[in-house]
Amino acid sequence: MTDIKKDFVNGEVVTHAICGVTCSISEGEFVSIMGPSGSGKSTLMHIMGFLDVLSAGGYQFNGKDVSSLEQDELALMRRNEVGFIFQTFNLLSNASVIENVMLPMVYAEIPKKEREERAKEALEEMGLGHRLNHKSNQLSGGERQRVAIARAFVNRPKVVFADEPTGNLDTKSGTIVLEKLQEFNARGQTIVMVTHEMEAAEYSKRIIRMRDGEIEKDATNGSQRRGGYNK
């Protein structure tokens, strides 16, 4: 990303959310983006994940210039290239757990038998093999987030974006989620996580700190931790 800018216009009021950010994330990294409310961290992640478009600057993803793509082209990139984990889980409450996890593969037109096999395997890895046919609204918050993780990774995306993935979880559930993200990263998966919690960010290999729409600090996390997450 080169000199990225993002403005939000409301009548005559222009809010500069991102003010000339330049950064690069390599394959296999686990990066946390931190900053106070209004710092631009979520906006930056939304641009990285094709959920929003930039106002100016250049953005290349996996060698492809996506700076000027139309909405339908961005939708294809979201479907085929990335996965998402949200603070509020974003599961379909009336669908079963396995149906929720299969959803990205439906959009990707993967055959039904393969969808079922991959979703079951992903859920078993997350310790939810006994919950396949439960409705998502029958699960605890920690279980819902593990379903969301299975859904994010099941389509084998190049990058998974996690937006405050421990924000609604207790300490034990948060630790499980962060350790799972570390585990996937250890296998080579690229992960970009937005968080306001330093304890969560310490699980990543690199921490980008933002303030007022700019990068304040970008450094390798020399004290990457495992276990012991406390809210």
Side-chain angles (χ1 to χ4, degrees), residues 51-228:
L51 293 171
D52 204 348
V53 295
L54 49 81
S55 300
Y59 177 26
Q60 287 211 345
F61 182 92
N62 197 35
K64 182 176 183 178
D65 185 0
V66 298
S67 303
S68 57
L69 293 183
E70 299 296 332
Q71 287 295 337
D72 57 342
E73 296 173 300
L74 291 173
L76 286 174
M77 294 287 286
R78 284 196 299 271
R79 186 189 77 181
N80 298 327
E81 307 289 352
V82 300
F84 295 97
I85 304 167
F86 297 100
Q87 179 178 353
T88 53
F89 320 128
N90 286 16
L91 301 177
L92 300 177
S93 60
N94 292 322
S96 69
V97 165
I98 193 167
E99 287 170 341
N100 269 283
V101 176
M102 287 195 295
L103 194 59
M105 295 183 287
V106 172
Y107 294 139
E109 301 180 349
I110 292 172
K112 184 178 180 181
K113 184 177 180 181
E114 183 179 351
R115 294 201 302 265
E116 292 174 343
E117 290 173 351
R118 282 167 57 174
K120 183 179 179 181
E121 181 181 343
L123 286 163
E124 287 175 346
E125 181 170 7
M126 297 303 298
L128 294 170
H130 62 300
R131 296 288 207 184
L132 300 181
N133 296 310
H134 284 68
K135 301 294 185 184
S136 64
N137 57 11
Q138 296 175 310
L139 306 183
S140 68
E143 288 174 327
R144 291 183 195 180
Q145 195 60 296
R146 280 187 280 157
V147 173
I149 291 173
R151 181 185 60 188
F153 285 96
V154 75
N155 214 23
R156 300 167 186 170
K158 290 184 173 63
V159 182
V160 166
F161 294 95
D163 192 359
E164 301 281 4
T166 60
N168 284 337
L169 304 181
D170 58 38
T171 299
K172 182 179 178 180
S173 297
T175 298
I176 291 171
V177 164
L178 291 165
E179 289 178 347
K180 278 296 179 182
L181 292 179
Q182 276 193 332
E183 184 180 325
F184 280 108
N185 177 248
R187 301 179 198 173
Q189 177 69 56
T190 306
I191 298 172
V192 178
M193 177 173 69
V194 165
T195 181
H196 69 278
E197 300 170 349
M198 190 62 212
E199 293 87 352
E202 286 177 351
Y203 280 77
S204 61
K205 296 176 179 176
R206 173 182 165 198
I207 300 174
I208 296 173
R209 296 178 182 271
M210 296 193 67
R211 184 175 296 275
D212 299 328
E214 300 179 347
I215 292 179
E216 185 177 54
K217 185 177 180 181
D218 182 351
T220 299
N221 180 18
S223 57
Q224 187 183 17
R225 64 191 290 178
R226 293 182 180 274

